[in-house]
Amino acid sequence: MASLSQWVQGARPRTLPAAVAPVAAGTGVAVREILASGESLGWGLLLPRVLLALGVALALQVGVNYANDYSDGIRGTDDDRVGPFRLTGSRSAEPATVKRAAIGALALGALLGVVLIAIAGIWWMLVVGAAAVAAAWMYTGGKHPYGYLGLGELFVFVFFGLVAVNGTAYAITGGLSLSALLVSCAIGLLAVSIMLTNNLRDIPTDREAGKTTLAVRLGERGTRLLFAVTVIAPFVLVVPLMVQHWPAALVLLALPLAIGPARVVLRGAQGRALIPVLGAAGRLELVFALLLLAGLCL
């Protein structure tokens, strides 16, 4: 039976910034738009929606992590693993138990999402929410997992970037904006960098297991170059926000956090040497989002 510590490891804490960051960034955009319109923030309205959006994002992230652990584990993809601990692949937990944990986390995310949708009165978002839950499971689950087809990064960009940021801002303001779109693209790219780190590290074992990730398709050189783009381009994307509202330039303080991981990856780090890069990519996304939130609120 897996210990509590092993279950925490299986939830992959280093990936959780990918859930917190889009909610923080989306909140920042929404606050800036409310302040620019001359309206009061109304914390009684704002705070519950932000907390619910955060709960949805965290539950879905944990759910997709456990689902990935289960699906890769039963396929044998994690049998010869270089990266962090896995519950199913290590035989520390029964596959059925990990599957139930994944379904439970996804169900919690769905429930919180329904509450948020009801409070905000945006019932059409039920379709988007259902798609997000389905995407979380089908990353490595089902008969034709898209993670095995090289589409994982695209779905991460869409759901942990475009959907999460714009969805958070929309739930607060009831509208969409160019600022939210730019920020969602920036956050989406940073979320992709986290997945790229994992998939770059796992190219040899994924190729052997028949898991054709984007990294396997691009090869090491292409993946390393794409990683560098995903951690640098977000700073370019938010330049229009800095021009419009100069305190948003606070986000540039996160730039040194992007340069370090990019150097490590471009210099050819492999295997276990890439594990610290995973944590660095997560910290970069979180710090980027929090600094942007602070700058947009000033």
Side-chain angles (χ1 to χ4, degrees), residues 106-159:
L106 295 177
L108 176 61
L111 176 62
L112 294 175
V114 170
V115 174
L116 175 58
I117 287 169
I119 290 176
I122 46 176
W123 293 103
W124 63 270
M125 283 289 288
L126 283 173
V127 177
V128 178
V133 172
W137 180 259
M138 294 173 63
Y139 169 51
T140 53
K143 293 183 178 180
H144 304 288
Y146 62 83
Y148 281 62
L149 302 175
L151 299 175
E153 284 80 2
L154 174 61
F155 277 76
V156 163
F157 179 80
V158 170
F159 286 102

mmCIF file of all heavy atoms in Angstrom, residues 106-159:
data_model
loop_
_atom_site.group_PDB
_atom_site.id
_atom_site.type_symbol
_atom_site.label_atom_id
_atom_site.label_comp_id
_atom_site.label_asym_id
_atom_site.label_seq_id
_atom_site.Cartn_x
_atom_site.Cartn_y
_atom_site.Cartn_z
ATOM 1 N N LEU A 106 -10.888 14.389 -10.809
ATOM 2 C CA LEU A 106 -11.568 14.982 -11.963
ATOM 3 C C LEU A 106 -13.024 15.303 -11.627
ATOM 4 O O LEU A 106 -13.554 16.340 -12.059
ATOM 5 C CB LEU A 106 -11.499 14.039 -13.162
ATOM 6 C CG LEU A 106 -10.098 13.781 -13.732
ATOM 7 C CD1 LEU A 106 -10.159 12.764 -14.867
ATOM 8 C CD2 LEU A 106 -9.465 15.075 -14.229
ATOM 9 N N ALA A 107 -13.666 14.429 -10.848
ATOM 10 C CA ALA A 107 -15.052 14.672 -10.449
ATOM 11 C C ALA A 107 -15.152 15.904 -9.546
ATOM 12 O O ALA A 107 -16.087 16.709 -9.670
ATOM 13 C CB ALA A 107 -15.611 13.440 -9.732
ATOM 14 N N LEU A 108 -14.184 16.052 -8.646
ATOM 15 C CA LEU A 108 -14.167 17.233 -7.784
ATOM 16 C C LEU A 108 -14.002 18.500 -8.614
ATOM 17 O O LEU A 108 -14.686 19.507 -8.383
ATOM 18 C CB LEU A 108 -13.024 17.124 -6.769
ATOM 19 C CG LEU A 108 -12.808 18.340 -5.858
ATOM 20 C CD1 LEU A 108 -14.055 18.609 -5.015
ATOM 21 C CD2 LEU A 108 -11.586 18.138 -4.962
ATOM 22 N N GLY A 109 -13.097 18.452 -9.594
ATOM 23 C CA GLY A 109 -12.907 19.599 -10.478
ATOM 24 C C GLY A 109 -14.181 19.932 -11.227
ATOM 25 O O GLY A 109 -14.546 21.110 -11.383
ATOM 26 N N ALA A 110 -14.884 18.898 -11.697
ATOM 27 C CA ALA A 110 -16.135 19.113 -12.424
ATOM 28 C C ALA A 110 -17.193 19.741 -11.522
ATOM 29 O O ALA A 110 -17.917 20.659 -11.925
ATOM 30 C CB ALA A 110 -16.636 17.783 -12.989
ATOM 31 N N LEU A 111 -17.287 19.247 -10.275
ATOM 32 C CA LEU A 111 -18.269 19.777 -9.329
ATOM 33 C C LEU A 111 -18.005 21.252 -9.023
ATOM 34 O O LEU A 111 -18.927 22.083 -9.054
ATOM 35 C CB LEU A 111 -18.233 18.963 -8.033
ATOM 36 C CG LEU A 111 -19.132 19.451 -6.895
ATOM 37 C CD1 LEU A 111 -20.593 19.407 -7.320
ATOM 38 C CD2 LEU A 111 -18.924 18.607 -5.639
ATOM 39 N N LEU A 112 -16.750 21.587 -8.731
ATOM 40 C CA LEU A 112 -16.404 22.987 -8.458
ATOM 41 C C LEU A 112 -16.658 23.857 -9.678
ATOM 42 O O LEU A 112 -17.083 25.016 -9.554
ATOM 43 C CB LEU A 112 -14.933 23.083 -8.037
ATOM 44 C CG LEU A 112 -14.566 22.428 -6.702
ATOM 45 C CD1 LEU A 112 -13.064 22.483 -6.474
ATOM 46 C CD2 LEU A 112 -15.307 23.094 -5.551
ATOM 47 N N GLY A 113 -16.418 23.288 -10.863
ATOM 48 C CA GLY A 113 -16.668 24.027 -12.097
ATOM 49 C C GLY A 113 -18.137 24.346 -12.270
ATOM 50 O O GLY A 113 -18.502 25.458 -12.692
ATOM 51 N N VAL A 114 -18.997 23.398 -11.948
ATOM 52 C CA VAL A 114 -20.446 23.621 -12.058
ATOM 53 C C VAL A 114 -20.889 24.725 -11.089
ATOM 54 O O VAL A 114 -21.712 25.579 -11.436
ATOM 55 C CB VAL A 114 -21.226 22.315 -11.773
ATOM 56 C CG1 VAL A 114 -22.719 22.590 -11.650
ATOM 57 C CG2 VAL A 114 -20.970 21.299 -12.885
ATOM 58 N N VAL A 115 -20.329 24.709 -9.881
ATOM 59 C CA VAL A 115 -20.664 25.753 -8.898
ATOM 60 C C VAL A 115 -20.241 27.123 -9.422
ATOM 61 O O VAL A 115 -20.997 28.108 -9.338
ATOM 62 C CB VAL A 115 -19.988 25.467 -7.545
ATOM 63 C CG1 VAL A 115 -20.226 26.628 -6.574
ATOM 64 C CG2 VAL A 115 -20.509 24.171 -6.953
ATOM 65 N N LEU A 116 -19.020 27.209 -9.980
ATOM 66 C CA LEU A 116 -18.530 28.475 -10.527
ATOM 67 C C LEU A 116 -19.408 28.952 -11.680
ATOM 68 O O LEU A 116 -19.761 30.140 -11.767
ATOM 69 C CB LEU A 116 -17.084 28.308 -11.007
ATOM 70 C CG LEU A 116 -16.449 29.510 -11.715
ATOM 71 C CD1 LEU A 116 -16.460 30.733 -10.797
ATOM 72 C CD2 LEU A 116 -15.022 29.186 -12.159
ATOM 73 N N ILE A 117 -19.775 28.032 -12.546
ATOM 74 C CA ILE A 117 -20.624 28.371 -13.694
ATOM 75 C C ILE A 117 -21.988 28.876 -13.221
ATOM 76 O O ILE A 117 -22.537 29.845 -13.769
ATOM 77 C CB ILE A 117 -20.780 27.139 -14.610
ATOM 78 C CG1 ILE A 117 -19.468 26.890 -15.368
ATOM 79 C CG2 ILE A 117 -21.934 27.328 -15.588
ATOM 80 C CD1 ILE A 117 -19.415 25.571 -16.102
ATOM 81 N N ALA A 118 -22.515 28.235 -12.188
ATOM 82 C CA ALA A 118 -23.823 28.650 -11.663
ATOM 83 C C ALA A 118 -23.753 30.045 -11.047
ATOM 84 O O ALA A 118 -24.641 30.883 -11.263
ATOM 85 C CB ALA A 118 -24.298 27.634 -10.619
ATOM 86 N N ILE A 119 -22.692 30.308 -10.283
ATOM 87 C CA ILE A 119 -22.534 31.630 -9.655
ATOM 88 C C ILE A 119 -22.376 32.719 -10.709
ATOM 89 O O ILE A 119 -22.957 33.804 -10.604
ATOM 90 C CB ILE A 119 -21.325 31.621 -8.703
ATOM 91 C CG1 ILE A 119 -21.620 30.752 -7.477
ATOM 92 C CG2 ILE A 119 -20.963 33.039 -8.265
ATOM 93 C CD1 ILE A 119 -20.452 30.608 -6.528
ATOM 94 N N ALA A 120 -21.562 32.413 -11.745
ATOM 95 C CA ALA A 120 -21.298 33.410 -12.788
ATOM 96 C C ALA A 120 -22.417 33.485 -13.819
ATOM 97 O O ALA A 120 -22.464 34.432 -14.623
ATOM 98 C CB ALA A 120 -19.974 33.079 -13.475
ATOM 99 N N GLY A 121 -23.298 32.478 -13.823
ATOM 100 C CA GLY A 121 -24.402 32.476 -14.785
ATOM 101 C C GLY A 121 -23.962 32.275 -16.212
ATOM 102 O O GLY A 121 -24.565 32.811 -17.150
ATOM 103 N N ILE A 122 -22.903 31.494 -16.407
ATOM 104 C CA ILE A 122 -22.374 31.261 -17.764
ATOM 105 C C ILE A 122 -22.520 29.771 -18.095
ATOM 106 O O ILE A 122 -21.547 29.034 -18.223
ATOM 107 C CB ILE A 122 -20.900 31.713 -17.891
ATOM 108 C CG1 ILE A 122 -20.067 31.221 -16.688
ATOM 109 C CG2 ILE A 122 -20.811 33.225 -17.988
ATOM 110 C CD1 ILE A 122 -18.588 31.546 -16.787
ATOM 111 N N TRP A 123 -23.762 29.331 -18.280
ATOM 112 C CA TRP A 123 -24.056 27.918 -18.433
ATOM 113 C C TRP A 123 -23.447 27.300 -19.684
ATOM 114 O O TRP A 123 -23.192 26.086 -19.718
ATOM 115 C CB TRP A 123 -25.570 27.703 -18.407
ATOM 116 C CG TRP A 123 -26.140 28.011 -17.057
ATOM 117 C CD1 TRP A 123 -26.827 29.130 -16.680
ATOM 118 C CD2 TRP A 123 -26.040 27.196 -15.877
ATOM 119 N NE1 TRP A 123 -27.163 29.073 -15.342
ATOM 120 C CE2 TRP A 123 -26.702 27.898 -14.827
ATOM 121 C CE3 TRP A 123 -25.461 25.954 -15.613
ATOM 122 C CZ2 TRP A 123 -26.797 27.384 -13.541
ATOM 123 C CZ3 TRP A 123 -25.552 25.439 -14.330
ATOM 124 C CH2 TRP A 123 -26.206 26.143 -13.314
ATOM 125 N N TRP A 124 -23.195 28.111 -20.712
ATOM 126 C CA TRP A 124 -22.589 27.556 -21.921
ATOM 127 C C TRP A 124 -21.190 27.029 -21.649
ATOM 128 O O TRP A 124 -20.664 26.185 -22.391
ATOM 129 C CB TRP A 124 -22.544 28.614 -23.026
ATOM 130 C CG TRP A 124 -21.698 29.814 -22.709
ATOM 131 C CD1 TRP A 124 -22.108 30.959 -22.104
ATOM 132 C CD2 TRP A 124 -20.302 29.975 -22.972
ATOM 133 N NE1 TRP A 124 -21.054 31.840 -21.966
ATOM 134 C CE2 TRP A 124 -19.937 31.261 -22.501
ATOM 135 C CE3 TRP A 124 -19.329 29.175 -23.563
ATOM 136 C CZ2 TRP A 124 -18.647 31.753 -22.599
ATOM 137 C CZ3 TRP A 124 -18.035 29.670 -23.672
ATOM 138 C CH2 TRP A 124 -17.700 30.938 -23.188
ATOM 139 N N MET A 125 -20.572 27.482 -20.546
ATOM 140 C CA MET A 125 -19.234 27.009 -20.196
ATOM 141 C C MET A 125 -19.225 25.545 -19.751
ATOM 142 O O MET A 125 -18.168 24.943 -19.609
ATOM 143 C CB MET A 125 -18.641 27.877 -19.087
ATOM 144 C CG MET A 125 -18.128 29.241 -19.555
ATOM 145 S SD MET A 125 -16.618 29.104 -20.552
ATOM 146 C CE MET A 125 -15.417 28.665 -19.303
ATOM 147 N N LEU A 126 -20.416 24.967 -19.543
ATOM 148 C CA LEU A 126 -20.477 23.548 -19.211
ATOM 149 C C LEU A 126 -19.848 22.701 -20.309
ATOM 150 O O LEU A 126 -19.206 21.681 -20.032
ATOM 151 C CB LEU A 126 -21.933 23.114 -18.992
ATOM 152 C CG LEU A 126 -22.575 23.498 -17.660
ATOM 153 C CD1 LEU A 126 -24.056 23.150 -17.675
ATOM 154 C CD2 LEU A 126 -21.881 22.805 -16.496
ATOM 155 N N VAL A 127 -20.021 23.127 -21.540
ATOM 156 C CA VAL A 127 -19.439 22.390 -22.672
ATOM 157 C C VAL A 127 -17.922 22.437 -22.610
ATOM 158 O O VAL A 127 -17.241 21.420 -22.796
ATOM 159 C CB VAL A 127 -19.941 22.983 -24.013
ATOM 160 C CG1 VAL A 127 -19.276 22.270 -25.189
ATOM 161 C CG2 VAL A 127 -21.458 22.884 -24.109
ATOM 162 N N VAL A 128 -17.388 23.623 -22.319
ATOM 163 C CA VAL A 128 -15.934 23.778 -22.209
ATOM 164 C C VAL A 128 -15.408 22.961 -21.029
ATOM 165 O O VAL A 128 -14.372 22.294 -21.134
ATOM 166 C CB VAL A 128 -15.566 25.267 -22.026
ATOM 167 C CG1 VAL A 128 -14.061 25.427 -21.858
ATOM 168 C CG2 VAL A 128 -16.058 26.080 -23.217
ATOM 169 N N GLY A 129 -16.138 22.994 -19.911
ATOM 170 C CA GLY A 129 -15.720 22.228 -18.740
ATOM 171 C C GLY A 129 -15.703 20.739 -19.013
ATOM 172 O O GLY A 129 -14.770 20.032 -18.595
ATOM 173 N N ALA A 130 -16.728 20.252 -19.694
ATOM 174 C CA ALA A 130 -16.783 18.825 -20.028
ATOM 175 C C ALA A 130 -15.617 18.440 -20.936
ATOM 176 O O ALA A 130 -15.009 17.373 -20.784
ATOM 177 C CB ALA A 130 -18.111 18.500 -20.708
ATOM 178 N N ALA A 131 -15.286 19.329 -21.870
ATOM 179 C CA ALA A 131 -14.158 19.072 -22.772
ATOM 180 C C ALA A 131 -12.844 19.024 -21.998
ATOM 181 O O ALA A 131 -11.965 18.201 -22.295
ATOM 182 C CB ALA A 131 -14.093 20.153 -23.856
ATOM 183 N N ALA A 132 -12.708 19.891 -20.983
ATOM 184 C CA ALA A 132 -11.487 19.913 -20.175
ATOM 185 C C ALA A 132 -11.318 18.614 -19.391
ATOM 186 O O ALA A 132 -10.221 18.050 -19.319
ATOM 187 C CB ALA A 132 -11.514 21.106 -19.217
ATOM 188 N N VAL A 133 -12.414 18.118 -18.801
ATOM 189 C CA VAL A 133 -12.357 16.867 -18.046
ATOM 190 C C VAL A 133 -12.027 15.701 -18.982
ATOM 191 O O VAL A 133 -11.203 14.835 -18.659
ATOM 192 C CB VAL A 133 -13.683 16.606 -17.307
ATOM 193 C CG1 VAL A 133 -13.694 15.219 -16.680
ATOM 194 C CG2 VAL A 133 -13.914 17.674 -16.240
ATOM 195 N N ALA A 134 -12.664 15.677 -20.148
ATOM 196 C CA ALA A 134 -12.401 14.612 -21.118
ATOM 197 C C ALA A 134 -10.947 14.652 -21.586
ATOM 198 O O ALA A 134 -10.289 13.609 -21.712
ATOM 199 C CB ALA A 134 -13.340 14.758 -22.317
ATOM 200 N N ALA A 135 -10.440 15.854 -21.823
ATOM 201 C CA ALA A 135 -9.048 15.992 -22.265
ATOM 202 C C ALA A 135 -8.081 15.517 -21.197
ATOM 203 O O ALA A 135 -7.038 14.921 -21.501
ATOM 204 C CB ALA A 135 -8.755 17.445 -22.627
ATOM 205 N N ALA A 136 -8.416 15.763 -19.921
ATOM 206 C CA ALA A 136 -7.557 15.327 -18.823
ATOM 207 C C ALA A 136 -7.417 13.804 -18.814
ATOM 208 O O ALA A 136 -6.323 13.263 -18.611
ATOM 209 C CB ALA A 136 -8.119 15.813 -17.488
ATOM 210 N N TRP A 137 -8.524 13.110 -19.035
ATOM 211 C CA TRP A 137 -8.485 11.645 -19.024
ATOM 212 C C TRP A 137 -7.846 11.075 -20.294
ATOM 213 O O TRP A 137 -7.070 10.127 -20.253
ATOM 214 C CB TRP A 137 -9.891 11.071 -18.865
ATOM 215 C CG TRP A 137 -9.869 9.571 -18.858
ATOM 216 C CD1 TRP A 137 -10.173 8.722 -19.875
ATOM 217 C CD2 TRP A 137 -9.454 8.744 -17.760
ATOM 218 N NE1 TRP A 137 -9.985 7.421 -19.492
ATOM 219 C CE2 TRP A 137 -9.547 7.407 -18.197
ATOM 220 C CE3 TRP A 137 -9.026 9.005 -16.458
ATOM 221 C CZ2 TRP A 137 -9.224 6.330 -17.379
ATOM 222 C CZ3 TRP A 137 -8.698 7.935 -15.640
ATOM 223 C CH2 TRP A 137 -8.797 6.619 -16.100
ATOM 224 N N MET A 138 -8.156 11.659 -21.425
ATOM 225 C CA MET A 138 -7.743 11.086 -22.710
ATOM 226 C C MET A 138 -6.305 11.412 -23.097
ATOM 227 O O MET A 138 -5.830 10.985 -24.143
ATOM 228 C CB MET A 138 -8.701 11.551 -23.812
ATOM 229 C CG MET A 138 -10.109 11.001 -23.646
ATOM 230 S SD MET A 138 -11.295 11.709 -24.811
ATOM 231 C CE MET A 138 -10.599 11.142 -26.372
ATOM 232 N N TYR A 139 -5.593 12.165 -22.236
ATOM 233 C CA TYR A 139 -4.179 12.457 -22.515
ATOM 234 C C TYR A 139 -3.397 11.155 -22.693
ATOM 235 O O TYR A 139 -2.682 10.965 -23.676
ATOM 236 C CB TYR A 139 -3.592 13.313 -21.391
ATOM 237 C CG TYR A 139 -2.089 13.445 -21.457
ATOM 238 C CD1 TYR A 139 -1.445 13.843 -22.625
ATOM 239 C CD2 TYR A 139 -1.296 13.168 -20.340
ATOM 240 C CE1 TYR A 139 -0.064 13.954 -22.690
ATOM 241 C CE2 TYR A 139 0.077 13.286 -20.388
ATOM 242 C CZ TYR A 139 0.689 13.671 -21.567
ATOM 243 O OH TYR A 139 2.056 13.769 -21.631
ATOM 244 N N THR A 140 -3.529 10.259 -21.757
ATOM 245 C CA THR A 140 -2.895 8.943 -21.910
ATOM 246 C C THR A 140 -3.897 7.815 -21.721
ATOM 247 O O THR A 140 -3.518 6.642 -21.742
ATOM 248 C CB THR A 140 -1.748 8.750 -20.892
ATOM 249 O OG1 THR A 140 -2.240 9.013 -19.569
ATOM 250 C CG2 THR A 140 -0.585 9.677 -21.203
ATOM 251 N N GLY A 141 -5.183 8.142 -21.516
ATOM 252 C CA GLY A 141 -6.202 7.123 -21.306
ATOM 253 C C GLY A 141 -6.998 6.846 -22.572
ATOM 254 O O GLY A 141 -6.910 7.565 -23.567
ATOM 255 N N GLY A 142 -7.792 5.784 -22.524
ATOM 256 C CA GLY A 142 -8.614 5.414 -23.667
ATOM 257 C C GLY A 142 -7.837 4.633 -24.714
ATOM 258 O O GLY A 142 -6.648 4.356 -24.576
ATOM 259 N N LYS A 143 -8.535 4.292 -25.792
ATOM 260 C CA LYS A 143 -7.921 3.478 -26.856
ATOM 261 C C LYS A 143 -6.943 4.270 -27.715
ATOM 262 O O LYS A 143 -6.004 3.715 -28.278
ATOM 263 C CB LYS A 143 -9.013 2.876 -27.739
ATOM 264 C CG LYS A 143 -9.887 1.852 -27.027
ATOM 265 C CD LYS A 143 -10.901 1.248 -27.978
ATOM 266 C CE LYS A 143 -11.747 0.192 -27.273
ATOM 267 N NZ LYS A 143 -12.760 -0.412 -28.177
ATOM 268 N N HIS A 144 -7.197 5.558 -27.850
ATOM 269 C CA HIS A 144 -6.349 6.385 -28.709
ATOM 270 C C HIS A 144 -5.910 7.647 -27.959
ATOM 271 O O HIS A 144 -6.369 8.756 -28.261
ATOM 272 C CB HIS A 144 -7.085 6.758 -29.996
ATOM 273 C CG HIS A 144 -7.584 5.587 -30.765
ATOM 274 N ND1 HIS A 144 -6.743 4.742 -31.460
ATOM 275 C CD2 HIS A 144 -8.845 5.087 -30.925
ATOM 276 C CE1 HIS A 144 -7.454 3.793 -32.041
ATOM 277 N NE2 HIS A 144 -8.736 3.974 -31.727
ATOM 278 N N PRO A 145 -5.051 7.520 -26.954
ATOM 279 C CA PRO A 145 -4.614 8.689 -26.172
ATOM 280 C C PRO A 145 -3.845 9.690 -27.026
ATOM 281 O O PRO A 145 -2.921 9.318 -27.752
ATOM 282 C CB PRO A 145 -3.713 8.064 -25.099
ATOM 283 C CG PRO A 145 -3.244 6.778 -25.692
ATOM 284 C CD PRO A 145 -4.373 6.280 -26.528
ATOM 285 N N TYR A 146 -4.247 10.948 -26.942
ATOM 286 C CA TYR A 146 -3.595 11.948 -27.789
ATOM 287 C C TYR A 146 -2.169 12.248 -27.344
ATOM 288 O O TYR A 146 -1.361 12.754 -28.123
ATOM 289 C CB TYR A 146 -4.430 13.233 -27.855
ATOM 290 C CG TYR A 146 -4.635 13.958 -26.555
ATOM 291 C CD1 TYR A 146 -3.683 14.830 -26.050
ATOM 292 C CD2 TYR A 146 -5.818 13.801 -25.836
ATOM 293 C CE1 TYR A 146 -3.876 15.512 -24.863
ATOM 294 C CE2 TYR A 146 -6.023 14.478 -24.643
ATOM 295 C CZ TYR A 146 -5.058 15.334 -24.166
ATOM 296 O OH TYR A 146 -5.251 16.012 -22.985
ATOM 297 N N GLY A 147 -1.840 11.924 -26.085
ATOM 298 C CA GLY A 147 -0.467 12.110 -25.622
ATOM 299 C C GLY A 147 0.514 11.207 -26.348
ATOM 300 O O GLY A 147 1.706 11.510 -26.434
ATOM 301 N N TYR A 148 0.013 10.093 -26.878
ATOM 302 C CA TYR A 148 0.855 9.149 -27.611
ATOM 303 C C TYR A 148 0.951 9.515 -29.087
ATOM 304 O O TYR A 148 1.603 8.833 -29.866
ATOM 305 C CB TYR A 148 0.300 7.721 -27.467
ATOM 306 C CG TYR A 148 0.631 7.064 -26.150
ATOM 307 C CD1 TYR A 148 0.168 7.599 -24.948
ATOM 308 C CD2 TYR A 148 1.410 5.925 -26.095
ATOM 309 C CE1 TYR A 148 0.462 7.006 -23.733
ATOM 310 C CE2 TYR A 148 1.712 5.311 -24.880
ATOM 311 C CZ TYR A 148 1.230 5.861 -23.699
ATOM 312 O OH TYR A 148 1.537 5.276 -22.496
ATOM 313 N N LEU A 149 0.261 10.600 -29.471
ATOM 314 C CA LEU A 149 0.261 11.036 -30.871
ATOM 315 C C LEU A 149 0.999 12.359 -31.056
ATOM 316 O O LEU A 149 0.973 12.940 -32.137
ATOM 317 C CB LEU A 149 -1.185 11.181 -31.370
ATOM 318 C CG LEU A 149 -2.053 9.917 -31.283
ATOM 319 C CD1 LEU A 149 -3.488 10.251 -31.683
ATOM 320 C CD2 LEU A 149 -1.489 8.821 -32.173
ATOM 321 N N GLY A 150 1.623 12.854 -29.990
ATOM 322 C CA GLY A 150 2.357 14.113 -30.086
ATOM 323 C C GLY A 150 1.491 15.346 -29.932
ATOM 324 O O GLY A 150 1.904 16.449 -30.306
ATOM 325 N N LEU A 151 0.281 15.186 -29.377
ATOM 326 C CA LEU A 151 -0.645 16.313 -29.251
ATOM 327 C C LEU A 151 -0.770 16.833 -27.820
ATOM 328 O O LEU A 151 -1.572 17.729 -27.550
ATOM 329 C CB LEU A 151 -2.034 15.908 -29.762
ATOM 330 C CG LEU A 151 -2.106 15.504 -31.236
ATOM 331 C CD1 LEU A 151 -3.508 15.008 -31.573
ATOM 332 C CD2 LEU A 151 -1.725 16.672 -32.136
ATOM 333 N N GLY A 152 0.009 16.272 -26.894
ATOM 334 C CA GLY A 152 -0.097 16.671 -25.505
ATOM 335 C C GLY A 152 0.156 18.149 -25.284
ATOM 336 O O GLY A 152 -0.593 18.829 -24.566
ATOM 337 N N GLU A 153 1.212 18.668 -25.903
ATOM 338 C CA GLU A 153 1.555 20.084 -25.718
ATOM 339 C C GLU A 153 0.456 21.000 -26.251
ATOM 340 O O GLU A 153 0.174 22.057 -25.668
ATOM 341 C CB GLU A 153 2.885 20.394 -26.409
ATOM 342 C CG GLU A 153 4.115 19.902 -25.668
ATOM 343 C CD GLU A 153 4.382 18.415 -25.865
ATOM 344 O OE1 GLU A 153 3.616 17.753 -26.618
ATOM 345 O OE2 GLU A 153 5.331 17.892 -25.272
ATOM 346 N N LEU A 154 -0.169 20.614 -27.362
ATOM 347 C CA LEU A 154 -1.246 21.425 -27.920
ATOM 348 C C LEU A 154 -2.412 21.514 -26.949
ATOM 349 O O LEU A 154 -2.965 22.602 -26.709
ATOM 350 C CB LEU A 154 -1.716 20.830 -29.253
ATOM 351 C CG LEU A 154 -2.945 21.494 -29.894
ATOM 352 C CD1 LEU A 154 -2.663 22.958 -30.204
ATOM 353 C CD2 LEU A 154 -3.375 20.738 -31.145
ATOM 354 N N PHE A 155 -2.794 20.389 -26.350
ATOM 355 C CA PHE A 155 -3.912 20.381 -25.426
ATOM 356 C C PHE A 155 -3.575 21.133 -24.142
ATOM 357 O O PHE A 155 -4.437 21.795 -23.559
ATOM 358 C CB PHE A 155 -4.332 18.945 -25.119
ATOM 359 C CG PHE A 155 -5.260 18.360 -26.156
ATOM 360 C CD1 PHE A 155 -4.773 17.948 -27.378
ATOM 361 C CD2 PHE A 155 -6.616 18.246 -25.908
ATOM 362 C CE1 PHE A 155 -5.609 17.425 -28.350
ATOM 363 C CE2 PHE A 155 -7.481 17.726 -26.865
ATOM 364 C CZ PHE A 155 -6.975 17.310 -28.096
ATOM 365 N N VAL A 156 -2.327 21.039 -23.689
ATOM 366 C CA VAL A 156 -1.907 21.806 -22.517
ATOM 367 C C VAL A 156 -2.002 23.305 -22.811
ATOM 368 O O VAL A 156 -2.483 24.089 -21.984
ATOM 369 C CB VAL A 156 -0.467 21.428 -22.103
ATOM 370 C CG1 VAL A 156 0.130 22.479 -21.174
ATOM 371 C CG2 VAL A 156 -0.454 20.076 -21.402
ATOM 372 N N PHE A 157 -1.540 23.711 -23.973
ATOM 373 C CA PHE A 157 -1.608 25.119 -24.374
ATOM 374 C C PHE A 157 -3.061 25.602 -24.373
ATOM 375 O O PHE A 157 -3.366 26.701 -23.890
ATOM 376 C CB PHE A 157 -0.992 25.304 -25.762
ATOM 377 C CG PHE A 157 -1.037 26.715 -26.264
ATOM 378 C CD1 PHE A 157 -0.106 27.652 -25.839
ATOM 379 C CD2 PHE A 157 -2.012 27.114 -27.167
ATOM 380 C CE1 PHE A 157 -0.146 28.971 -26.294
ATOM 381 C CE2 PHE A 157 -2.069 28.422 -27.635
ATOM 382 C CZ PHE A 157 -1.127 29.351 -27.191
ATOM 383 N N VAL A 158 -3.948 24.771 -24.916
ATOM 384 C CA VAL A 158 -5.355 25.161 -25.015
ATOM 385 C C VAL A 158 -6.029 25.214 -23.644
ATOM 386 O O VAL A 158 -6.632 26.230 -23.271
ATOM 387 C CB VAL A 158 -6.123 24.193 -25.943
ATOM 388 C CG1 VAL A 158 -7.632 24.452 -25.863
ATOM 389 C CG2 VAL A 158 -5.647 24.352 -27.384
ATOM 390 N N PHE A 159 -5.906 24.123 -22.863
ATOM 391 C CA PHE A 159 -6.694 24.035 -21.633
ATOM 392 C C PHE A 159 -6.037 24.689 -20.427
ATOM 393 O O PHE A 159 -6.728 25.212 -19.547
ATOM 394 C CB PHE A 159 -7.033 22.570 -21.337
ATOM 395 C CG PHE A 159 -8.083 22.023 -22.255
ATOM 396 C CD1 PHE A 159 -7.751 21.207 -23.323
ATOM 397 C CD2 PHE A 159 -9.416 22.349 -22.070
ATOM 398 C CE1 PHE A 159 -8.716 20.718 -24.185
ATOM 399 C CE2 PHE A 159 -10.402 21.873 -22.926
ATOM 400 C CZ PHE A 159 -10.048 21.056 -23.985
#
